[in-house]
Amino acid sequence: MKLVDHEVLLPDGSRANYVVDESFPFSVATLVIDGDDVLLSRQYRYPLNRWIFDLPGGAGQSDEEPIIAARRELEEELGVVPEELRPLHTFFMNPGRAAWPTHLFISTQGHRLGEADTTDAAEQVSLARVPLTKLDHLIAQGTIVDPPLIVARAVAAARGELPRLGSVALSDQLPVGSEDADRGSLSAVDN
């Protein structure tokens, strides 16, 4: 982690210090659509102490184009090589403290299997095929906590790449935050 203390001159003329996370030049994540399903990563996330769904992605390298990083991360994490990959959106995860953008990509035209990288013991990742309607339920009930996944779903709908986000009835869903909801949602859609 690279935290840099900046002394800055604010628009009103006053001075302040900002500690900025400059660890990476950028990050990437890819929304992969396969028919009526979304291909997601299912990963154990230590800071949350739980398994979550998120988009396959990670940090880019300074000598790498974002689209190349997205292809690399997609194959490393899920063993998926997209036939096509298009930019979807760029946003900043924490613009008050992080200096890098997150580049989102989308793949809707098919893919082939590649080789996942399983050499990093700290990265326990598996591919999860999730029906889009189930993903929308998981977002609505609060089970999806990955910002790039939520942003990618919303932007893809706004651009007509996916169906509009609709109203989801939660009355038949488990309570938000319950341990059973997280475990049930994850195991119900895994392959």
Side-chain angles (χ1 to χ4, degrees):
M1 180 171 267
K2 180 181 175 185
L3 298 177
V4 179
D5 189 359
H6 293 265
E7 184 176 327
V8 298
L9 182 62
L10 298 174
D12 69 359
S14 62
R15 295 190 175 276
N17 280 43
Y18 273 92
V19 176
V20 178
D21 183 348
E22 297 179 358
S23 302
F24 311 105
F26 60 89
S27 64
V28 295
T30 302
L31 180 64
V32 180
I33 309 302
D34 187 24
D36 293 333
D37 297 335
V38 180
L39 304 184
L40 300 176
S41 300
R42 181 176 181 259
Q43 297 194 63
Y44 176 74
R45 294 300 193 176
Y46 174 77
L48 303 179
N49 191 29
R50 71 182 210 186
W51 290 86
I52 69 167
F53 288 122
D54 58 10
L55 289 180
Q61 300 166 4
S62 58
D63 62 343
E64 189 174 41
E65 291 294 319
I67 197 163
I68 301 301
R71 285 184 180 284
R72 175 181 51 76
E73 287 288 340
L74 187 54
E75 184 170 12
E76 284 178 6
E77 290 192 0
L78 299 186
V80 169
V81 178
E83 289 181 16
E84 55 81 37
L85 197 58
R86 294 176 280 116
L88 179 64
H89 187 65
T90 299
F91 74 103
F92 292 82
M93 285 269 249
N94 185 1
R97 295 288 175 225
W100 71 80
T102 296
H103 299 280
L104 296 176
F105 293 89
I106 188 168
S107 175
T108 59
Q109 300 299 315
H111 59 276
R112 64 177 171 81
L113 293 180
E115 179 118 4
D117 180 359
T118 59
T119 59
D120 185 352
E123 238 186 36
Q124 298 185 13
V125 183
S126 62
L127 185 143
R129 178 178 291 277
V130 179
L132 185 58
T133 54
K134 180 66 173 180
L135 175 62
D136 289 349
H137 279 279
L138 295 173
I139 290 171
Q141 76 182 39
T143 299
I144 300 295
V145 296
D146 179 54
L149 176 50
I150 295 167
V151 171
R153 173 62 179 105
V155 172
R159 291 190 176 182
E161 299 271 0
L162 289 177
R164 290 183 43 193
L165 291 163
S167 175
V168 177
L170 296 179
S171 59
D172 58 347
Q173 301 294 318
L174 294 170
V176 172
S178 85
E179 200 168 306
D180 291 337
D182 292 339
R183 285 191 187 133
S185 297
L186 293 177
S187 62
V189 293
D190 285 342
N191 284 341

